[in-house]
Amino acid sequence: MHTVVTAKPVLSNELPPDATDVPDWLESALSVPREEGWVQSGGCDIRYFRWGNPKNPGLVLMHGFLAHSRCFAFIAPFLAEDYHVVAFDLSGMGDSGAREEYPDAVRSAEVADVARAAGLFDHAVKPIVIAHSYGGHVALTAMQDQHSLFGGLIICDLMVLRPERLEAYFSSEKPLRSDPSRPNRIYPDYESAKGRFVLSPPQPVNVPSLFDYMAYHSLKEVEGGWTWKFDTSVFQSNFGHEDRMLTQGQVIAGTQGRKAIVYGQDSLLFDDDSAAYIRECGATDIPIVGIPGARHHLMLDEPIAFVSVLRTILAQWGTQAV
């Protein structure tokens, strides 16, 4: 079942009060009119944002693990000049509802349900999915399950390393917290909570106000203080299993449909060797574009370059409004 629960315009740019050195382009982008609402998918309320003219071809923007759709809120306005753009919070994250568990099939259904409820399938041009990190994993599953619904997929810095490099990474990195029974900690005030906010993998960002923005919208005020928006139930997932990630290159190469890859050339999770590895897996016809100076969270490091690359790929695919 997929229904629009509510929809209303968003009037505020939502910059946090402690945002520092806010560039003019960011103020302008966050002031572009957008709509917010909720779509039901499998009985769970899914929060979405929408920009642009519904008469234009559609784009679906998807965030990474424990993140939220606002990581695209300053990217989408640049794409909305030519496209009908929708970004949503995956269930259990951001402002969406939570589930008991999150199998890939449920995640895949969310992509189609949001696109359908937002009217993206009503256009003659099939919508394109643009997905960052874990969102790329979900989007690949959606393309495998129902590739005929979508016009293509742009994967943004999904973790892909050669098997020997991946094994070394897992042996050296602290494992991601995975206990769904342990509740999120409540901090006494916003400053204390924000002080615990880190990107994964840890990295600085080139635009500090974007870090402030992401931290602010990753938290919520509750009784007794502030805590994280994501629900600990999201750790009930098969994502991150080493055996799946060991075959990620083959999965990308074997997934039907038009695909492209964008990555930060200073990323720890996808680099120039990852691009070569994917070619060796058989993906010889996929555009793979690295953004110099960007790390894994490339929209926080080089947002304007990121937009430019996305626009170029979409234009080459011939998906723009006439």
Side-chain angles (χ1 to χ4, degrees):
M1 181 178 182
H2 44 271
T3 57
V4 176
V5 180
T6 60
K8 62 181 181 180
V10 178
L11 303 178
S12 170
N13 66 18
E14 298 184 312
L15 277 168
D18 64 342
T20 57
D21 300 322
V22 180
D24 291 342
W25 71 261
L26 178 56
E27 288 266 17
S28 178
L30 291 177
S31 298
V32 171
R34 66 187 189 272
E35 176 189 275
E36 68 174 350
W38 282 262
V39 169
Q40 282 197 347
S41 178
C44 186
D45 288 346
I46 306 298
R47 171 76 170 279
Y48 76 85
F49 291 101
R50 178 159 57 178
W51 298 257
N53 188 340
K55 294 181 179 180
N56 287 339
L59 303 177
V60 181
L61 311 183
M62 296 174 57
H63 63 81
F65 196 60
L66 304 187
H68 45 79
S69 58
R70 286 182 177 86
C71 69
F72 281 108
F74 45 88
I75 300 296
F78 292 100
L79 302 175
E81 296 173 13
D82 295 301
Y83 302 94
H84 178 201
V85 185
V86 174
F88 71 97
D89 293 336
L90 289 161
S91 57
M93 305 182 213
D95 294 311
S96 286
R99 305 180 188 273
E100 291 185 359
E101 56 183 1
Y102 302 84
D104 283 348
V106 167
R107 291 290 194 205
S108 172
E110 289 180 15
V111 186
D113 286 347
V114 170
R116 185 175 291 109
L120 300 188
F121 293 145
D122 297 337
H123 199 280
V125 177
K126 295 178 181 179
I128 303 294
V129 180
I130 300 173
H132 179 242
S133 193
Y134 170 67
H137 166 88
V138 175
L140 281 166
T141 303
M143 290 289 284
Q144 292 165 354
D145 293 346
Q146 44 204 346
H147 71 273
S148 62
L149 294 178
F150 300 99
L153 167 61
I154 302 177
I155 304 167
C156 305
D157 219 282
L158 174 63
M159 185 177 190
V160 181
L161 300 173
R162 293 179 187 273
E164 58 271 24
R165 295 183 64 203
L166 190 63
E167 290 169 355
Y169 180 89
F170 277 117
S171 66
S172 63
E173 289 294 311
K174 181 180 179 181
L176 186 67
R177 170 188 167 187
S178 59
D179 182 3
S181 66
R182 188 178 68 181
N184 283 326
R185 179 178 175 182
I186 297 176
Y187 300 90
D189 50 53
Y190 173 71
E191 291 73 19
S192 300
K194 182 186 177 183
R196 302 296 296 175
F197 178 75
V198 294
L199 299 170
S200 180
Q203 63 159 85
V205 298
N206 296 350
V207 185
S209 54
L210 290 180
F211 181 90
D212 299 332
Y213 181 75
M214 290 298 295
Y216 183 70
H217 292 290
S218 295
L219 292 158
K220 61 182 178 181
E221 192 169 10
V222 296
E223 183 178 354
W226 289 75
T227 192
W228 307 111
K229 284 187 175 181
F230 72 82
D231 193 275
T232 57
S233 61
V234 296
F235 297 112
Q236 296 280 55
S237 167
N238 54 8
F239 171 72
H241 288 190
E242 192 169 338
D243 55 350
R244 166 64 190 262
M245 302 188 79
L246 284 168
T247 62
Q248 200 73 273
Q250 289 88 344
V251 170
I252 292 172
T255 298
Q256 295 186 58
R258 189 166 46 181
K259 302 177 292 285
I261 295 173
V262 181
Y263 68 100
Q265 285 191 284
D266 294 332
S267 172
L268 297 176
L269 306 187
F270 193 110
D271 56 19
D272 296 344
D273 182 67
S274 303
Y277 171 60
I278 286 179
R279 300 286 191 216
E280 294 167 17
C281 290
T284 57
D285 60 343
I286 298 178
I288 304 178
V289 183
I291 298 181
R295 305 169 189 85
H296 175 62
H297 299 272
L298 62 178
M299 70 279 289
L300 306 182
D301 289 323
E302 296 292 343
I304 302 304
F306 182 44
V307 167
S308 299
V309 170
L310 294 177
R311 281 177 164 178
T312 300
I313 294 170
L314 292 169
Q316 288 178 338
W317 283 356
T319 59
Q320 287 179 297
V322 177

